[in-house]
Amino acid sequence: MTYVSILPKTIDAQIRLTEQLDTVMNLLFTAAREVLDIPDNDIIVELHSCTTLAFNASAVRADVAPDVVLTFVTSDAPLERLFSELCERVVGDWNGPFETLKLEVWASLLGASDTNIEV
């Protein structure tokens, strides 16, 4: 299972992503499916509400605070070798419709002991 979280860090980013919900969801879903080569039913993409109240002053002064953070989390360890390709794909696809939103992309493994499995 791969879980994709879209975390807007500003209200403006949240509004823009909500207005273009189908575009952003399809972009991330397609990147996960094609790069990680996993079935559709093993991908969950979720848009969160902005919960960021402020960034530290040095991040603001340096203009490095992102508008959006995307996280890709999976427990499938063999997929780790594809994380770099996935991040490059997402950034490349993002630059068309959302290029004015500063983006960070994080891909990580979730230990199997941290998953909730129903039998």
Side-chain angles (χ1 to χ4, degrees):
M1 179 66 65
T2 297
Y3 193 85
V4 184
S5 294
I6 308 165
L7 306 164
K9 297 299 179 179
T10 66
I11 295 298
D12 290 340
Q14 177 182 309
I15 291 168
R16 180 139 177 235
L17 294 170
T18 302
E19 290 173 347
Q20 294 184 280
L21 187 60
D22 288 342
T23 300
V24 73
M25 292 282 192
N26 288 335
L27 183 152
L28 300 174
F29 183 87
T30 301
R33 182 183 65 213
E34 291 178 359
V35 174
L36 301 178
D37 192 29
I38 53 180
D40 291 0
N41 62 342
D42 276 350
I43 304 167
I44 297 172
V45 181
E46 179 178 75
L47 172 61
H48 294 259
S49 296
C50 177
T51 58
T52 303
L53 298 177
F55 288 101
N56 59 303
S58 61
V60 173
R61 278 193 305 275
D63 196 31
V64 296
D67 296 311
V68 179
V69 173
L70 303 176
T71 64
F72 290 79
V73 180
T74 184
S75 59
D76 299 327
L79 297 178
E80 186 174 21
R81 64 182 176 73
L82 299 170
F83 286 174
S84 180
E85 181 182 346
L86 175 65
C87 292
E88 288 175 16
R89 164 76 180 267
V90 169
V91 169
D93 291 350
W94 186 268
N95 283 333
F98 304 107
E99 67 185 81
T100 59
L101 294 176
K102 288 186 284 184
L103 175 69
E104 286 191 22
V105 182
W106 304 340
S108 61
L109 285 176
L110 177 68
S113 63
D114 296 335
T115 61
N116 183 9
I117 300 171
E118 291 185 28
V119 179

